[in-house]
């Protein structure tokens, strides 16, 4: 059985063609989509995080709201850019959202991707030493992973306003088990290995910041195997989780055809990103019978335990529920995902 959820980038635009014309539209519709996804049997509601953009940016209020309105579905991010984060304040927010949801938070984090502004983390008050923003993200991550374990580290005031428990004080609220539900968004084989070494789960999208000439799904499958090997070599107990993202659109009516017929012959793309080659995975669109054949050959989906479906959120809640339901109804059983 494979867990299947959605990943929303949370775009909004004042265009009359958009169903999300404001930030309020995106936020309320994100909650409604998560509720509806749970009702039709989906397993996860995940949200992308971007700053300085007309997209979702502050995930924890949204995650808490989704957690309060649902009872079963996993809720998470894909991913939070750790260059922008105060790790202690983030630990409080994450613990709060996780407790509200009853321990359903699956938190995807990463060193970040190209953003809307130059060195945007500087406006948030963070300046990396020697200009190494990736190292700063890793440092923030290391601190975050330590403090969410609930161990005391802060010296208490000898004359506090309220009585303290004995010993050093931890970040509160602490949510037990959250550390095991942290995912690293890895864009390469090397960063996936690093995630395995640190005992985080792996979140891999439709973009890899390297190219070896093989199809995207095969390169991603290699990335997943290297991650699992690194996890095992590091001596971590249990089995880590792995998610991959895909754009999958079964064409079952004329509305689907109007929106996605151009994607029926989608292929991988290779381009330049941050000064190096990057490989982008293709979209899957077509009649269900054809998609079953194509998806059966996707080695990375086969290797992952979780599939996140990127949804066109500007088309509105009803249509996105239709897309999710089409995958769950027409593809998942035929492929052995359900």
């Amino acid at each position: 059985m494979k867990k299947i959820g959605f990943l929303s980038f949370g775009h909004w635009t004042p265009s009359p063609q958009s169903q999300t014309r404001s930030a309020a539209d995106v936020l309320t519709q994100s909650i409604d989509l998560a509720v509806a996804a749970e009702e039709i049997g989906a397993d996860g509601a995940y949200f992308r995080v971007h700053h300085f953009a007309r997209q979702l940016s502050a995930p924890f209020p949204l995650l808490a709201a989704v957690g309060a309105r649902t009872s079963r579905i996993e809720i998470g991010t894909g991913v939070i850019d750790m260059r922008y984060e105060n790790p202690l304040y983030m630990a409080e927010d994450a613990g709060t959202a996780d407790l509200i949801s009853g321990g359903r938070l699956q938190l995807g984090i990463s060193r970040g991707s190209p953003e809307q502004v130059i060195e945007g983390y500087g406006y948030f008050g963070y300046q990396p030493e020697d200009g190494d923003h990736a190292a700063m993200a890793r440092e923030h991550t290391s601190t975050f992973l330590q403090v969410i374990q609930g161990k005391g580290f802060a010296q208490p005031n000898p004359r506090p306003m309220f009585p303290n428990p004995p010993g050093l004080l931890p970040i509160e609220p602490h949510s037990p088990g959250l550390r095991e539900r942290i995912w690293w968004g890895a864009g390469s084989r090397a960063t996936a290995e690093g995630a395995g070494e640190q005992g985080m789960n792996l979140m891999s999208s439709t973009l890899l910041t390297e190219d070896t000439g093989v199809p995207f799904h095969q390169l991603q499958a290699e990335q997943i195997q290297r991650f699992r090997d690194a996890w095992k070599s590091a001596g971590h107990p249990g089995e880590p989780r792995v998610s991959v993202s895909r754009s999958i659109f079964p064409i079952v009516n004329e509305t689907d055809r109007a929106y996605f017929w151009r994607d029926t012959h989608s292929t991988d793309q290779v381009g330049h990103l941050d000064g190096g080659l990057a490989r982008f995975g293709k979209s899957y669109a077509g009649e269900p019978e054809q998609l079953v054949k194509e998806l059966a050959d996707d080695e990375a989906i086969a290797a992952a335990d979780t599939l996140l479906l990127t949804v066109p959120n500007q088309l509105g809640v009803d249509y996105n529920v239709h897309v999710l339901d089409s995958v769950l109804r027409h593809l998942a059983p035929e492929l052995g995902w359900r």
Side-chain angles (χ1 to χ4, degrees), residues 300-320:
I301 292 181
D305 62 82
T306 301
L307 173 63
L308 299 182
L309 303 170
T310 59
V311 294
N313 75 279
Q314 291 186 84
L315 296 182
V317 173
D318 289 345
Y319 185 74
N320 281 288

Side-chain angles (χ1 to χ4, degrees), residues 162-206:
F162 307 105
N164 283 323
L168 300 177
L169 301 181
I171 285 290
E172 297 287 4
H174 167 60
S175 186
L178 178 58
R179 174 60 180 86
E180 286 70 48
R181 287 177 275 113
I182 306 300
W183 305 60
W184 185 257
S188 68
R189 293 167 294 175
T191 53
E193 289 173 335
E197 291 167 0
Q198 294 182 69
M200 289 185 280
N201 300 302
L202 176 65
M203 187 171 282
S204 189
S205 70
T206 54

Side-chain angles (χ1 to χ4, degrees), residues 43-57:
D43 302 299
Y46 288 73
F47 304 96
R48 190 70 166 90
V49 180
H50 277 293
H51 301 290
F52 299 105
R54 290 178 174 178
Q55 294 176 242
L56 296 170
S57 60

Side-chain angles (χ1 to χ4, degrees), residues 264-286:
T264 55
H265 296 96
S266 175
T267 60
D268 288 358
Q269 299 181 50
V270 177
H272 288 270
L273 185 68
D274 281 350
L277 282 178
R279 180 169 283 267
F280 302 79
K282 68 178 185 178
S283 298
Y284 289 94

